[in-house]
């Protein structure tokens, strides 16, 4: 499977329209199936059940009409509320968070349930025949002892779907305000980041040195865009088939343009494998979180920087973002940052990814937010504590030193910005930081 196909599937079920379209199809299939069962007479026993009062054609038609009309109306309202919430969140927390809300399963499935129920009710409504209508076929006349044709089983399923829609509506009305709370937003990004780190670097408490690139002739990009997905398995297969070594020059999330180097090829002519190698890279206009933990780190940094800007001045939101950055940094610091491209054959793997460095992640997170944090006394103190807490479980002196350097740089910047009691309090905190943890 090429990178384009894998990326297409990964992004397909993240689109806002995917589940509504899928549920529409399922609703149509369910409706035709239920009507067929009713027409075949398999549900005739329902007329003999005492606690089920068989519906008459007019009552069934009225109920299905009301259900179809109300479901499409509620679906429209749900869509409007979702768009309003997305506009609020992207305006306050950053435009890059728009994707997070559009991919929210709660919003997608809520809209999908209402649309699927609408399609079901509309199709079943078509099968209802009034008492004075002529049967369309002999099977219709034999389907029920009541005059006309009323799909009793289909109607019961419609009642069940209506009850489900009421429950989903209650869930949605609670989910929307909950999903735009900043703590919930940060939790979602943080948990997703921790999961991405564990998936990308599965080996813990093992600190091997990254395999260094071996050079070669460069194979370049064919157009401009962000590297969204890299199919490492296909790259490995191509390298083995061609008896060459491929050293990657880019990571997921890097921006490339025409003639930017993608891969260095050693042991083969780049022209011989150019088309096959390029098929392993998906380029697009935006960054995505697939294979790119750095994208989620940037989202946390963006929220923190916005919160500390003079126009917003919300240090407590920044503090929450710093806490999640600390959790992610501690997780990265405990892991082997070599990507196992070839599973158990890592040592002989012919594909060498661009080495991931702990210092790079630290600079991208704490290094990017440090200047803004230095201007807030409370956020600066929290960042010192977070750096110390992140360093505590890391059993690697070099990585601990990188976190200490971030604390020292924070102190240098704070001394340029803070004055008076705020600076004195920070200095006391910094002395305690050095005494306790170093």
């Amino acid at each position: 499977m090429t990178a384009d196909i894998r990326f297409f599937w990964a992004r397909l079920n993240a689109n806002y329209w995917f589940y509504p379209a899928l549920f529409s199809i399922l609703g149509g299939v369910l409706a035709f199936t239920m009507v067929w069962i009713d027409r075949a007479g398999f549900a005739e026993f329902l007329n003999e059940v005492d606690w089920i009062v068989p519906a008459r054609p007019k009552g069934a038609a009225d109920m299905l009409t009301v259900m179809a009309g109300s479901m499409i109306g509620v679906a429209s309202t749900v869509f409007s509320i979702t768009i309003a919430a997305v506009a609020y969140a992207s305006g306050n927390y950053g435009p890059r968070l728009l994707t997070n809300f559009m991919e929210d399963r709660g919003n997608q499935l809520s809209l999908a349930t209402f649309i699927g129920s609408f399609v079901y009710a509309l199709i079943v409504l078509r099968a209802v025949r009034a008492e004075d209508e002529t049967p369309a076929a002999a099977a219709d006349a034999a389907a029920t002892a009541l005059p006309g044709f009323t799909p009793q089983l289909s109607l019961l399923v419609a009642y069940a779907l209506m009850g489900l829609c009421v429950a989903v509506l209650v869930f949605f009305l609670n989910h929307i305000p909950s999903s735009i709370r900043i703590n919930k937003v940060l939790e979602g990004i943080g948990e997703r980041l921790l999961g991405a780190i564990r998936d990308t670097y599965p080996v813990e408490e093992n600190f091997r040195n990254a395999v260094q690139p071996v050079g070669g002739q460069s194979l370049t990009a064919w157009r401009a865009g962000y590297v969204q997905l890299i199919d490492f398995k296909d790259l490995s297969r191509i390298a083995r088939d061609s008896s060459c070594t491929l050293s990657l020059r880019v990571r997921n999330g890097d921006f490339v343009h025409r003639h930017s180097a993608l891969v260095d090829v050693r042991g083969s002519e780049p022209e011989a494998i150019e088309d096959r190698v390029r098929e392993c890279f998906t380029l697009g206009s935006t960054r995505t979180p697939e294979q790119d933990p750095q994208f989620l780190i940037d989202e946390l940094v963006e929220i923190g920087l916005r919160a500390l800007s003079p126009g917003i001045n919300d240090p407590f939101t920044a503090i929450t973002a710093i806490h999640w950055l600390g959790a992610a940094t501690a997780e990265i610091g405990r892991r082997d940052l070599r990507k196992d491209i070839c599973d158990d054959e890592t040592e002989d793997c012919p594909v060498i990814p661009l080495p991931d460095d702990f210092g790079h992640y630290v600079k991208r997170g704490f290094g990017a937010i440090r200047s803004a944090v230095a201007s807030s006394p409370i956020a600066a103190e929290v960042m010192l504590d977070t750096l110390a807490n992140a360093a505590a479980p890391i059993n690697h002196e070099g990585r601990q030193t990188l976190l200490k350097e971030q604390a020292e740089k924070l102190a240098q910047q704070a001394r340029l910005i803070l004055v008076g009691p705020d600076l004195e309090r920070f200095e006391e905190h910094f002395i305690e930081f050095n005494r306790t943890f170093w």
Side-chain angles (χ1 to χ4, degrees):
M1 183 181 293
T2 64
D4 283 329
I5 297 176
R6 292 178 59 192
F7 181 76
F8 172 76
W9 173 248
R11 303 309 301 167
L12 178 63
N13 56 24
N15 283 309
Y16 194 62
W17 56 264
F18 177 73
Y19 282 102
L22 179 62
F23 276 41
S24 297
I25 296 172
L26 294 177
V29 172
L30 179 62
F32 282 115
T33 302
M34 292 298 102
V35 170
W36 176 82
I37 292 175
D38 279 311
R39 291 186 61 191
F42 294 120
E44 189 174 355
F45 70 94
L46 293 175
N47 295 325
E48 308 299 328
V49 180
D50 294 336
W51 60 273
I52 298 178
V53 179
R56 295 286 180 172
K58 186 177 185 308
D62 290 345
M63 196 277 287
L64 291 170
T65 300
V66 170
M67 179 178 174
S70 61
M71 288 305 101
I72 197 63
V74 172
S76 301
T77 303
V78 165
F79 179 75
S80 300
I81 294 174
T82 301
I83 294 302
V86 166
Y88 168 82
S90 61
N92 284 273
Y93 309 144
R96 268 159 292 280
L97 293 179
L98 178 64
T99 303
N100 299 44
F101 287 95
M102 297 302 288
E103 292 180 1
D104 186 275
R105 288 288 183 265
N107 297 338
Q108 291 178 342
L109 295 177
S110 295
L111 181 63
T113 302
F114 297 126
I115 292 180
S117 300
F118 163 76
V119 172
Y120 176 87
L122 208 61
I123 293 176
V124 173
L125 178 62
R126 176 183 176 274
V128 178
R129 190 182 69 249
E131 298 177 5
D132 57 348
E133 291 184 44
T134 304
D140 282 352
T144 176
L146 295 175
F149 175 63
T150 305
Q152 302 291 344
L153 181 59
S154 303
L155 206 58
L156 287 178
V157 174
Y159 274 113
L161 288 176
M162 187 169 59
L164 175 63
C165 288
V166 171
V168 169
L169 180 59
V170 173
F171 160 79
F172 177 79
L173 294 177
N174 174 74
H175 176 72
I176 279 292
S178 174
S179 64
I180 61 176
R181 288 170 48 214
I182 186 59
N183 286 346
K184 189 70 175 179
V185 173
L186 288 168
E187 179 188 8
I189 299 173
E191 291 291 352
R192 191 173 184 181
L193 173 57
L194 293 177
I197 292 170
R198 297 183 185 112
D199 292 340
T200 306
Y201 310 112
V203 181
E204 193 170 0
E205 301 299 344
N206 189 1
F207 308 104
R208 296 176 296 173
N209 293 324
V211 178
Q212 296 301 314
V214 295
Q217 301 182 63
S218 295
L219 195 158
T220 60
W222 63 100
R223 65 182 181 89
Y226 289 97
V227 179
Q228 296 177 323
L229 196 75
I230 302 175
D231 194 332
F232 292 107
K233 290 186 178 180
D234 277 3
L235 281 176
S236 175
R237 189 178 302 112
I238 294 169
R240 293 188 189 282
D241 292 344
S242 305
S243 300
C244 65
T245 302
L246 303 178
S247 302
L248 271 65
R249 298 280 297 276
V250 294
R251 295 185 180 90
N252 294 88
D254 288 350
F255 186 84
V256 298
H257 51 79
R258 287 186 62 196
H259 306 306
S260 294
L262 285 179
V263 188
D264 286 339
V265 182
R266 183 174 182 179
S268 174
E269 291 297 325
E271 294 78 9
I273 58 174
E274 180 176 355
D275 292 338
R276 294 176 64 194
V277 169
R278 284 177 173 173
E279 288 181 355
C280 297
F281 291 82
T282 300
L283 304 182
S285 59
T286 59
R287 292 174 60 191
T288 63
E290 276 75 26
Q291 294 185 342
D292 186 11
Q294 184 174 285
F295 175 79
L296 299 169
I297 292 176
D298 291 346
E299 286 190 334
L300 292 175
V301 170
E302 179 181 12
I303 293 176
L305 290 175
R306 278 175 168 262
L308 292 171
S309 65
I312 298 178
N313 192 23
D314 180 12
F316 294 100
T317 293
I319 286 171
T320 305
I322 291 170
H323 285 156
W324 282 107
L325 280 175
T329 302
E331 196 70 38
I332 295 172
R334 293 197 301 267
R335 294 183 177 273
D336 179 4
L337 299 184
R338 288 181 60 182
K339 295 178 180 177
D340 293 333
I341 305 303
C342 302
D343 299 325
D344 295 334
E345 303 175 359
T346 303
E347 299 300 330
D348 299 324
C349 185
V351 178
I352 304 175
L354 196 63
D356 290 329
D357 180 65
F358 181 70
H360 171 76
Y361 282 113
V362 172
K363 292 177 183 177
R364 196 70 183 226
F366 287 114
I369 202 175
R370 184 184 64 242
S371 297
V373 170
S375 64
S376 172
I378 185 172
E381 293 177 16
V382 169
M383 182 167 166
L384 286 178
D385 293 338
T386 303
L387 287 169
N389 292 334
I394 298 176
N395 298 318
H396 189 281
E397 185 177 351
R399 295 181 178 183
Q400 288 181 334
T401 300
L402 289 173
L403 295 178
K404 181 180 180 181
E405 289 175 356
Q406 284 297 320
E408 292 173 347
K409 291 178 180 179
L410 174 64
Q412 293 174 13
Q413 288 187 284
R415 291 176 186 131
L416 297 175
I417 301 174
L418 301 180
V419 294
D422 288 337
L423 180 58
E424 293 176 4
R425 181 174 175 180
F426 175 82
E427 291 288 5
E428 292 174 359
H429 214 81
F430 184 61
I431 293 172
E432 185 66 24
F433 168 86
N434 285 320
R435 181 186 304 118
T436 304
F437 299 99
W438 311 104

